Amino acid sequence: KNQVEQSPQSLIILEGKNCTLQCNYTVSPFSNLRWYKQDTGRGPVSLTIMTFSENTKSNGRYTATLDADTKQSSLHITASQLSDSASYICVVSAKRTGGFKTIFGAGTRLFVKA
Amino acid sequence: EAQVTQNPRYLITVTGKKLTVTCSQNMNHEYMSWYRQDPGLGLRQIYYSMNVEVTDKGDVPEGYKVSRKEKRNFPLILESPSPNQTSLYFCASSPGQYEDTQYFGPGTRLTVL
C-alpha cells in the first residue's frame, strides 16, 4: 500500500534553533518527492522537489534530503524564524498506468517560539 | 499576478442543497486538481484533469462532480451535500502532472449542516 508517514506530528522549537522533520514512504514506483509549507488557513506552497537521482535540494534556509534506497526524506530548517511556524507536508508521486498518483503525508506542525 | 482563485472561501449550507465551488487559474496550466483536507489526514485527491474535457477520479470522488470546459476553470460540484463532506477544499494547478510543482488556491471551508 502506498503510504507517506511524517514525524513528529508536532514540534516546538525556540527561534534561532535548527530542526529536522522526517518523512518515510512506501510509495512505488517512485517518481518524485516534494516538501510543501502550509500556513494556517492557506494553501500549501512548494519548498523543494526531488527526483530519484537527487539526494539534496536547498531553498534558502530549507534543505531537503532524499535516500531513495531507504525511502526516507528529511527537511532541515536552519536558524528558525517565527514565520516558519506552519505545517510541513511531504508529498510523494508514484508512476502508474496512464499517469501518476500523488500521496500526501499528514504533515508536521511546527511551532517556533520567541 | 499568477494565481489560483477559489470561490467562495467560506460556505455554510444544508444537507441536499446543490452547490458549486469555482476554481480558476491564470497560468495557462494544463493540469488541475481538487483536494479535501481533514484534521489528522493528509490532503486527499477528489478529481483531477489533465486538460480540457479530460477528467478522472482521484482517491475520494464519491459525492462530487467536476467539469473542465475551459482550460482556466475547474469547478467542483456537490449535487447533494452531506455532513461528511464538511471539509477544507483546495484547488491546485500545474503545467503538467509529471514532476511539476502544484500551485494551490487559498482554500474553501465548507460546512454542511
Side-chain angles (χ1 to χ4, degrees), chain A residues 34 38 46 51 96 100-101, chain B residues 37 48 59 97-98 101:
Chain A
R34 310 168 195 174
Q38 184 178 21
S46 178
T51 58
R96 63 175 178 178
F100 296 86
K101 183 175 180 63
Chain B
Q37 186 174 36
Y48 64 94
D59 296 317
Q97 188 185 19
Y98 179 63
T101 296

Side-chain angles (χ1 to χ4, degrees), chain A residues 31-32 34 36 38 41-44 46 49 51 89 95-96 99-101 104-106, chain B residues 9 35 37 40-43 48 57 59 88 90 97-102 104-106:
Chain A
S31 174
N32 61 67
R34 310 168 195 174
Y36 284 87
Q38 184 178 21
R42 307 189 72 169
S46 178
I49 178 171
T51 58
I89 303 172
K95 297 175 185 176
R96 63 175 178 178
F100 296 86
K101 183 175 180 63
F104 288 74
Chain B
R9 294 290 314 280
Y35 299 90
Q37 186 174 36
L41 300 177
L43 278 86
Y48 64 94
K57 296 177 181 179
D59 296 317
L88 180 58
F90 288 100
Q97 188 185 19
Y98 179 63
E99 294 186 357
D100 280 323
T101 296
Q102 290 191 57
F104 284 82

Side-chain angles (χ1 to χ4, degrees), chain A:
Chain A
K1 182 180 178 182
N2 290 322
Q3 285 187 314
V4 176
E5 295 185 351
Q6 295 186 240
S7 61
Q9 280 191 328
S10 63
L11 180 63
I12 302 173
I13 63 173
L14 292 176
E15 187 179 14
K17 297 296 186 182
N18 303 335
C19 67
T20 300
L21 314 180
Q22 300 290 343
C23 174
N24 296 336
Y25 62 92
T26 58
V27 177
S28 181
F30 176 85
S31 174
N32 61 67
L33 184 146
R34 310 168 195 174
W35 282 94
Y36 284 87
K37 177 186 179 186
Q38 184 178 21
D39 292 312
T40 300
R42 307 189 72 169
V45 175
S46 178
L47 293 175
T48 63
I49 178 171
M50 290 184 291
T51 58
F52 185 88
S53 59
E54 299 174 293
N55 53 27
T56 302
K57 185 74 71 81
S58 290
N59 178 359
R61 296 180 294 104
Y62 301 102
T63 299
T65 63
L66 172 64
D67 186 333
D69 291 330
T70 62
K71 297 186 177 181
Q72 296 179 324
S73 176
S74 65
L75 180 68
H76 186 75
I77 304 175
T78 304
S80 61
Q81 301 176 358
L82 297 178
S83 59
D84 291 331
S85 294
S87 288
Y88 291 84
I89 303 172
C90 176
V91 185
V92 183
S93 290
K95 297 175 185 176
R96 63 175 178 178
T97 302
F100 296 86
K101 183 175 180 63
T102 301
I103 301 98
F104 288 74
T108 291
R109 188 75 175 91
L110 175 65
F111 300 89
V112 180
K113 301 183 73 172

